[in-house]
Amino acid sequence: MEKVKKIVKNKEFWLFALITIIFFGTFIKMEYATDTYSVFATNRQEIIAHFMQSGRFVTAFSGWISTKLALGNTTIYLISVILAFACTSISMYKLYTILKAEIKNNLVLVISAILLILNVFSIELYLFLEKGVLMLSVLLCVLAFEKMIKFFEGDKKAILWVFVYMLIANFSYQGTVALFVALCTLYIIKNAKNIKTFIINNIYTAICYGIPALVNYLTVKVIYSNPRVSAENNLLLSIEKIIDGTKYMIGSTYSILPKYFFVGVLSLIIFVGIINILRQKETAKKKILLILGIVYIILVTTVFTIFPQIMQSTASISFVPRSTYAFASIIGLVLAYLCMNVKLEKISQDILIGILIIYLSLQYIGFQNIIRDRYILNYMDYNQFLQIQNKVQKYEEETGNKIEKISLYPAEYVQYSYPNLFVSGDTNLKAMFPEWARKSYLEYYFNRTFTQVEQNQEIYEQYFKDKNWTFFDDEQIVLIEDTMHIYVY
């Protein structure tokens, strides 16, 4: 509690809290991912079991607590979003205090802390109900990094805390834990008195990352047999998918930023850094080592970000912002590295600040576009439900029958989302698109449980086959006795 009081009394913490609210404050109003309908509509015990099978025990535990306390959906959401705000703010503040001794320009220091935590992929961590736990995993990586610095400086007991923090981080969400290794690269270089120290510190860092991750992986694979890690793995095809996914991630940043903008900004920062390195009064060997330091940070961060993909079954490999979160911190890492190890000329610092303010501005615009479209999506999903509800109510009032079963008839081409909305990966899918989400979506809004039954071929032949229905046609929903047959378009 004393540490918490010390943090909240610091004006820099409130600066980062304000930045968090500016970027993500809109999320205080409840929003829905397709997963959210499933979590709220499905039996809590099933949801807890699902997260346990995914190795996300902290999320499962939070679900258990919410069940015991009989918390409502709105309360659960508010607790999650407030926790996310707090973890994001504290993470940036902690990095600010850690790097303060190394980076003298306060504006560059603040920008570095923002870019490391609130990076361009961080938006997707906020697009799920469990956003609080997802951001908690980020904070735990920062706390582990802080203890790892103590270990590098000679405090051998600190490594125990590193293992504890990293184990809980893995149990919170596995997609963010590469951030720990990415941050450690800065101080592995800083504390590298010689090649031996450099190699040893890399080994220690890999162990502190690898053992908790292995514990989590084995728990999922051996105890729960999660299909994501237990299904068939075609190594060559997996490698091909990872290479393609990495190319897409680097070039497109999942459409959050303009194409190749991330690469362009990173290249400009590296260019400015190399110019300053070459102008320094250092030996050629020292200059080469400084340039290699940039290569090392980028390479290690990229490898540790994408490596976990190979542990999954081939079919489960998927590149999305939340699972490649650490990669997007590269811009902040390179900036921090240059400020820690290279004497940047004032004009170079001004150029970097200008570039990164433009970068953060475009990132902010990208985030707000996604957030705005999320709420539009939710409204349109609810509007679809109202049309379905009207037909159901009319049928039940006219017949006296209560609909207890549903059968879903998919169209040949199901719309991924609604026109003119931001869609990328799992972001902003319409509620009726994923087959597994449709029943939960209807149950949540109807506030009743349905039994899903198999499609009836006769009904399909009579009403749907070879007919070009659109979603809002009167005969889009066919009500037969106590079964609601829904044609999904």
Side-chain angles (χ1 to χ4, degrees), residues 130-182:
E130 63 272 24
K131 51 179 65 68
V133 178
L134 298 180
M135 290 312 303
L136 174 63
S137 68
V138 173
L139 174 58
L140 289 164
C141 289
V142 173
L143 296 176
F145 165 60
E146 184 180 35
K147 291 297 182 181
M148 199 67 187
I149 295 172
K150 302 277 187 190
F151 175 77
F152 289 153
E153 293 173 348
D155 183 359
K156 302 304 179 185
K157 293 181 181 179
I159 202 167
L160 296 175
W161 280 107
V162 176
F163 278 111
V164 171
Y165 287 137
M166 288 304 295
L167 191 61
I168 302 174
N170 275 276
F171 287 167
S172 298
Y173 181 59
Q174 303 92 333
T176 61
V177 294
L179 179 67
F180 165 74
V181 178

Side-chain angles (χ1 to χ4, degrees), residues 106-268:
N106 198 57
L107 181 54
V108 174
L109 177 59
V110 170
I111 291 173
S112 296
I114 295 170
L115 290 168
L116 288 167
I117 300 300
L118 205 154
N119 67 43
V120 70
F121 292 168
S122 63
I123 180 64
E124 199 180 39
L125 299 178
Y126 269 84
L127 293 175
F128 291 89
L129 176 63
E130 63 272 24
K131 51 179 65 68
V133 178
L134 298 180
M135 290 312 303
L136 174 63
S137 68
V138 173
L139 174 58
L140 289 164
C141 289
V142 173
L143 296 176
F145 165 60
E146 184 180 35
K147 291 297 182 181
M148 199 67 187
I149 295 172
K150 302 277 187 190
F151 175 77
F152 289 153
E153 293 173 348
D155 183 359
K156 302 304 179 185
K157 293 181 181 179
I159 202 167
L160 296 175
W161 280 107
V162 176
F163 278 111
V164 171
Y165 287 137
M166 288 304 295
L167 191 61
I168 302 174
N170 275 276
F171 287 167
S172 298
Y173 181 59
Q174 303 92 333
T176 61
V177 294
L179 179 67
F180 165 74
V181 178
L183 293 171
C184 283
T185 58
L186 296 172
Y187 281 78
I188 288 174
I189 294 173
K190 180 179 179 294
N191 290 279
K193 299 174 183 177
N194 50 53
I195 189 67
K196 180 181 177 181
T197 308
F198 176 78
I199 293 173
I200 290 174
N201 285 345
N202 270 284
I203 292 172
Y204 277 124
T205 301
I207 290 172
C208 290
Y209 165 86
I211 291 179
L214 185 62
V215 170
N216 183 265
Y217 174 79
L218 291 176
T219 302
V220 173
K221 186 174 180 67
V222 176
I223 298 178
Y224 292 104
S225 300
N226 188 307
R228 287 197 175 196
V229 296
S230 301
E232 183 179 352
N233 194 322
N234 183 319
L235 184 59
L236 290 178
L237 185 56
S238 292
I239 291 172
E240 184 180 336
K241 288 184 71 174
I242 289 171
I243 292 172
D244 290 342
T246 303
K247 290 178 181 178
Y248 175 71
M249 172 186 70
I250 295 172
S252 72
T253 53
Y254 306 107
S255 301
I256 301 170
L257 293 173
K259 197 170 185 181
Y260 301 118
F261 183 70
F262 181 91
V263 175
V265 170
L266 179 60
S267 299
L268 282 172

